[in-house]
Amino acid sequence: MLQNYKPENKELADLAKKYKEPLRQVEKLMIPGFSNEDFYLMFKTCYAQFWKDLENVYHHCKNSDRLWVEKGKDPVYNCPEPQEFLERLSRMYIERTRERLEQGGEYLSDDDRKGIIAELSLAGKSEIERKKSKRKQDIYEYLASDVFVSHNLEDDDALLSQLSQILKGDGLTVYIHNRSSLYSLRKNAIPKNYKKIISRVKACRSFLFIPRQDDPSNGVAYWLLGVCTAIHKPIVILSKDSTDKQPFLALYNWAYIENGSLVVKDKDGCKPFKGFLDDFISAQNRFKKQLQQKHNAVRIR
């Protein structure tokens, strides 16, 4: 007869009782030929909060025992490491499940398993973490666009409308920064709602800036340009004519509307905006990959 593991101290005994139902659920997710490591990984995936609780209890017991030893007394808890505790606790469930499957017992299909794993992963988090996770995902999906358009224009809706139509015609999603939020804070270099603005900028794939020749000191729009430069966002400056270039903007790639399309001029010549954006992000990803490979090589040494 299979014997369940009985922890030696109260803290672990309480956790063992709490883990019974989760371990039964993990049993149902196993398929023929599963290994012990598959079982442990499935538990950690579906019940991340339970695993975190176990690590917290372990560190608490370990620190308490250390204090007892420093006082010249015997340790009280003798708590096993989290992985060892999980292995002891899971032994009965693993053996029982393996025996059932070897005898031809039923098991879930891949689609059913995926659905249950997703549900348990979310339910395993605390209520606060669950709400934060869902809210963060919803906000990011709402904020994400291909192009974030920032401008200093007060009375040029025709240009903004034309630009929006061109970009949407290329299959890109566009967000044009709310003009009222810019001009209500004209005197402030950094707006009060800067966290929300930065969140939207980070969620977008690129930053398109339209300057104004007669008002080069408008704080918020230029502040956003600096933010995007700092986070290495693809930046393009849209020129309305050949006279509105300001010296410091020469550092960036410039775009022009020609024959009903948005064309970017960079070091390789002129290309459509969408092509420029795809090339820029591909090059950026390659560079990140190279840095990661160098970092990994240094760690191995």
Side-chain angles (χ1 to χ4, degrees):
M1 182 177 177
L2 296 174
Q3 296 292 327
N4 199 2
Y5 167 62
K6 295 181 179 179
E8 300 175 357
N9 64 63
K10 184 178 182 302
E11 284 76 7
L12 291 181
D14 290 341
L15 276 183
K17 293 178 182 178
K18 184 180 177 182
Y19 280 26
K20 284 184 178 180
E21 184 57 30
L23 289 170
R24 291 193 188 104
Q25 293 294 332
V26 174
E27 269 190 295
K28 299 176 183 177
L29 296 170
M30 294 297 102
I31 58 177
F34 77 93
S35 64
N36 291 9
E37 287 70 23
D38 293 335
F39 191 95
Y40 306 143
L41 181 60
M42 186 65 71
F43 177 85
K44 295 174 185 178
T45 300
C46 296
Y47 295 97
Q49 185 62 38
F50 285 72
W51 177 252
K52 186 177 180 180
D53 291 343
L54 177 57
E55 290 181 324
N56 291 337
V57 169
Y58 169 73
H59 290 299
H60 166 72
C61 294
K62 184 178 180 181
N63 291 334
S64 298
D65 281 345
R66 179 177 55 80
L67 294 175
W68 283 110
V69 171
E70 289 177 355
K71 293 178 181 179
K73 299 181 180 180
D74 293 332
V76 175
Y77 296 103
N78 294 311
C79 183
E81 292 191 3
Q83 181 63 33
E84 183 182 353
F85 175 75
L86 179 60
E87 291 175 3
R88 294 180 186 179
L89 204 60
S90 304
R91 189 175 299 125
M92 181 190 74
Y93 299 91
I94 291 174
E95 294 176 1
R96 183 170 66 190
T97 305
R98 187 169 285 137
E99 182 179 351
R100 176 177 62 81
L101 293 176
E102 288 175 352
Q103 293 176 357
E106 295 183 355
Y107 56 93
L108 298 172
S109 66
D110 289 344
D111 290 339
D112 290 340
R113 291 174 73 239
K114 289 178 181 178
I116 294 174
I117 290 170
E119 184 179 347
L120 291 177
S121 298
L122 184 62
K125 298 181 179 180
S126 66
E127 185 67 20
I128 294 176
E129 287 180 325
R130 188 157 59 246
K131 288 182 178 179
K132 283 184 178 179
S133 177
K134 187 176 186 308
R135 182 173 179 272
K136 186 175 181 180
Q137 182 179 358
D138 291 344
I139 289 175
Y140 189 86
E141 290 177 355
Y142 170 74
L143 296 178
S145 299
D146 291 314
V147 188
F148 183 108
V149 179
S150 180
H151 60 91
N152 284 339
L153 308 178
E154 288 183 319
D155 54 2
D156 204 343
D157 290 335
L159 174 62
L160 295 175
S161 177
Q162 181 187 15
L163 177 63
S164 179
Q165 290 178 3
I166 291 173
L167 294 173
K168 290 178 180 178
D170 290 336
L172 301 172
T173 55
V174 184
Y175 172 77
I176 298 179
H177 191 212
N178 191 330
R179 189 165 56 207
S180 62
S181 65
L182 284 173
Y183 287 91
S184 63
L185 298 165
R186 179 184 287 267
K187 295 181 180 179
N188 296 330
I190 301 179
K192 294 179 181 178
N193 61 339
Y194 73 95
K195 290 185 178 179
K196 293 181 180 179
I197 298 175
I198 290 179
S199 296
R200 186 178 282 278
V201 169
K202 286 183 176 180
C204 293
R205 295 177 65 208
S206 62
F207 183 79
L208 181 63
F209 179 51
I210 310 174
R212 254 181 73 193
Q213 176 68 14
D214 59 342
D215 189 11
S217 61
N218 189 300
V220 179
Y222 285 92
W223 167 74
L224 283 177
L225 180 63
V227 169
C228 291
T229 303
I231 62 177
H232 308 292
K233 188 72 64 175
I235 298 173
V236 172
I237 312 297
L238 177 61
S239 174
K240 291 186 295 178
D241 54 56
S242 59
T243 63
D244 61 359
K245 280 195 176 184
Q246 298 158 23
F248 69 94
L249 295 179
L251 299 171
Y252 303 99
N253 296 305
W254 281 72
Y256 308 87
I257 296 178
E258 293 181 356
N259 300 322
S261 63
L262 186 63
V263 179
V264 179
K265 185 176 181 180
D266 63 5
K267 62 180 180 180
D268 299 323
C270 296
K271 62 181 68 174
F273 179 83
K274 190 175 187 302
F276 162 80
L277 180 58
D278 292 339
D279 292 346
F280 187 99
I281 292 177
S282 296
Q284 197 174 55
N285 290 337
R286 287 196 301 270
F287 180 69
K288 289 179 180 179
K289 187 176 181 180
Q290 291 173 358
L291 285 181
Q292 185 62 43
Q293 290 174 345
K294 290 181 180 179
H295 177 70
N296 293 338
V298 171
R299 289 182 63 184
I300 292 173
R301 292 175 186 173

